């Protein structure tokens, strides 16, 4: 039923015909107003869109002209709608924040080298941490007798005797790597800056004494330990960015304790599971208290040689053995 019929049948309307005329007039007037509004909108909306589109096109043309006038990118490519990265002196740089420690020690970089280009089979790398000490000359003598090379990850000692031992290691053709200057876990693993401070001191000492800038290093306690869990990924990333190579180990003779085991036990530990790994990086120590390590060394060398291993020194090109990051 239409609205008009409903109105006509209303008693109130039948009693007053003029009221129906008023209703019809009001409806007609409202319809005209609505029609006028629709007409205005029909004119204004396309006009606004056209103006906005024109403005956008003009802006796009200006940006295109600007891009065409830019110089080529440094790598010979082109800039895709992004301004060239500002130089160090420029401000307002966009993108991820650059850690401030990257600007520390601007000369502390390893020499260029190939990565993971040496991956020999049946090879054992003898490594000695925490020297040099009075044990170091004894180790050097044994290594010379067997005609093998080794790697020494050294700690900071400024005495003239210690410096001479460093020179003896280098002159014998062995590799010297950074271990630590202070060997204070709490101090060096407090922050990336603290680690770099310690590393830079030992690096400078080695280079000054031997004339050879070290290219490899070993983290005190290994790359992942109880003191650096909050920061080891940042340190590893920064040292790798600077070109240095670090080495953990997959065998140990077990002398990293206060009371060293007997020479026989150390030998057995060093030769444990012999032949199960084609590449072995063996952890030992040549600090002053490790006389039993020296005593066990001939048997360790002979054990690996008899099993068909060559014994060599580490270089930055050797594919490292490193600890895997634990799952979060």
């Amino acid at each position: 039923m239409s609205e008009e019929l409903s109105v006509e049948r209303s008693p109130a309307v039948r009693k007053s015909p003029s009221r129906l005329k008023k209703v019809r007039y009001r409806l007609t007037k409202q319809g005209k107003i609505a029609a006028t509004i629709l007409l205005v909108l029909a004119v204004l909306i396309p006009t606004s869109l056209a103006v906005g589109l024109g403005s956008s096109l003009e802006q796009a043309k200006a940006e295109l002209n600007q891009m065409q006038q830019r110089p080529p990118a440094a790598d010979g490519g082109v800039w895709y709608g992004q301004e060239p990265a500002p130089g160090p002196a420029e401000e307002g740089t966009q993108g991820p924040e650059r850690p401030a420690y990257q600007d520390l020690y601007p000369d502390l970089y390893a020499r260029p080298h190939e990565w993971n280009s040496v991956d020999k089979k049946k090879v054992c790398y003898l490594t000695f941490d925490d020297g040099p000490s009075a044990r170091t000359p004894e180790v050097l003598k044994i290594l010379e007798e067997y005609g093998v090379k080794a790697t020494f990850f050294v700690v900071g000692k400024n005495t003239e005797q210690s410096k001479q031992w460093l020179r003896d290691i280098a002159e014998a053709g062995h590799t010297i790597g950074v271990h630590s200057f202070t060997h204070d876990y709490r101090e060096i693993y407090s922050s990336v800056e603290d680690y770099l401070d310690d590393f830079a001191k030992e690096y400078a000492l080695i280079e000054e004494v031997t004339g050879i800038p070290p290219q490899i290093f070993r983290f005190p306690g290994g790359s992942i330990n109880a003191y650096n869990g909050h920061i080891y990924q940042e340190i590893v990333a920064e040292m790798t960015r600077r070109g240095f190579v670090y080495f953990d180990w997959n065998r140990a003779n077990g002398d990293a304790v206060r009371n060293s085991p007997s020479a026989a036990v150390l030998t057995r530990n060093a030769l444990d599971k012999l032949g199960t790994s084609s590449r072995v990086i063996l952890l030992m120590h040549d600090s002053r208290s490790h006389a039993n390590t020296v005593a066990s060394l001939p048997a360790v060398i002979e054990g690996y040689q008899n099993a068909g291993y060559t014994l060599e020194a580490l270089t930055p090109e050797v594919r490292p053995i490193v600890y895997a990051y634990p799952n979060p």
Side-chain angles (χ1 to χ4, degrees):
M1 186 179 294
S2 67
E3 181 180 355
E4 184 177 355
L5 290 176
S6 298
V7 171
E8 288 178 347
R9 290 185 180 184
S10 172
V13 172
R14 285 197 298 268
K15 291 180 180 179
S16 179
S18 63
R19 183 175 179 182
L20 178 60
K21 293 181 180 181
K22 292 180 180 179
V23 170
R24 288 176 176 173
Y25 173 77
R26 189 161 54 245
L27 290 174
T28 302
K29 184 178 182 179
Q30 290 176 351
K32 291 181 178 180
I33 293 173
T36 303
I37 292 174
L38 290 175
L39 179 61
V40 171
L41 290 176
V43 174
L44 291 180
I45 290 177
T47 304
S48 300
L49 290 174
V51 171
L53 182 60
S55 177
S56 298
L57 290 174
E58 290 299 323
Q59 182 179 359
K61 290 179 180 179
E63 291 178 355
L64 179 60
N65 291 333
Q66 185 179 7
M67 290 172 61
Q68 292 174 341
Q69 294 173 1
R70 291 175 184 166
D75 59 358
V78 296
W79 307 106
Y80 290 98
Q82 181 180 2
E83 291 293 333
E90 298 184 40
E91 298 180 355
T93 304
Q94 301 297 320
E97 184 178 356
R98 186 171 182 269
Y101 54 70
Q102 291 188 4
D103 295 324
L104 296 176
Y105 306 104
D107 297 327
L108 188 63
Y109 285 82
R111 291 175 298 184
H113 61 81
E114 294 184 4
W115 294 82
N116 301 334
S117 61
V118 176
D119 188 12
K120 296 182 178 180
K121 307 301 181 183
K122 279 286 188 174
V123 58
C124 175
Y125 299 98
L126 303 176
T127 66
F128 299 89
D129 288 9
D130 296 355
S133 75
R135 303 283 78 80
T136 304
E138 300 169 357
V139 171
L140 291 176
K141 182 178 179 181
I142 295 171
L143 295 176
E144 183 180 6
E145 290 174 354
Y146 284 90
V148 299
K149 301 301 181 185
T151 304
F152 294 80
F153 293 103
V154 299
V155 298
K157 296 182 178 71
N158 278 317
T159 67
E160 287 304 316
Q161 180 61 77
S162 294
K163 292 178 179 180
Q164 184 56 54
W165 287 330
L166 279 179
R167 284 189 285 268
D168 292 341
I169 295 171
E171 290 171 2
H174 304 290
T175 298
I176 296 178
V178 172
H179 193 38
S180 174
F181 188 82
T182 64
H183 210 268
D184 185 334
Y185 288 25
R186 295 186 185 278
E187 178 180 335
I188 65 178
Y189 292 131
S190 294
S191 66
V192 179
E193 291 83 356
D194 288 329
Y195 183 84
L196 287 172
D197 289 344
D198 184 272
F199 186 97
K201 290 178 183 178
E202 186 63 18
Y203 178 97
L205 176 63
I206 296 170
E207 183 177 25
E208 176 188 354
V209 172
T210 67
I212 303 173
Q215 308 296 298
I216 67 174
F217 70 104
R218 172 171 285 162
F219 288 101
S223 60
I224 303 176
N225 57 68
Y227 294 85
N228 68 2
H230 66 294
I231 203 171
Y232 67 87
Q233 293 188 31
E234 278 191 84
I235 298 176
V236 166
E238 177 61 11
M239 298 309 294
T240 302
R241 187 187 71 83
R242 292 174 181 258
F244 294 101
V245 180
Y246 72 96
F247 292 89
D248 288 318
W249 57 89
N250 61 348
R251 291 290 185 278
N253 71 346
D255 66 354
V257 292
R258 185 177 298 276
N259 296 316
S260 178
S262 67
V265 172
L266 295 178
T267 300
R268 185 167 62 248
N269 291 341
L271 299 177
D272 184 40
K273 299 179 181 178
L274 185 62
T276 59
S277 296
S278 181
R279 298 190 321 125
V280 173
I281 296 182
L282 176 60
L283 170 66
M284 298 179 285
H285 295 77
D286 65 327
S287 48
R288 186 177 59 182
S289 63
H290 291 93
N292 288 345
T293 297
V294 176
S296 71
L297 188 55
V300 171
I301 294 175
E302 291 176 9
Y304 278 99
Q305 287 180 332
N306 293 338
Y309 286 78
T310 59
L311 289 94
E312 301 181 8
L314 292 169
T315 69
E317 291 78 21
V318 172
R319 183 170 69 87
I321 289 174
V322 300
Y323 296 147
Y325 290 177
N327 293 327

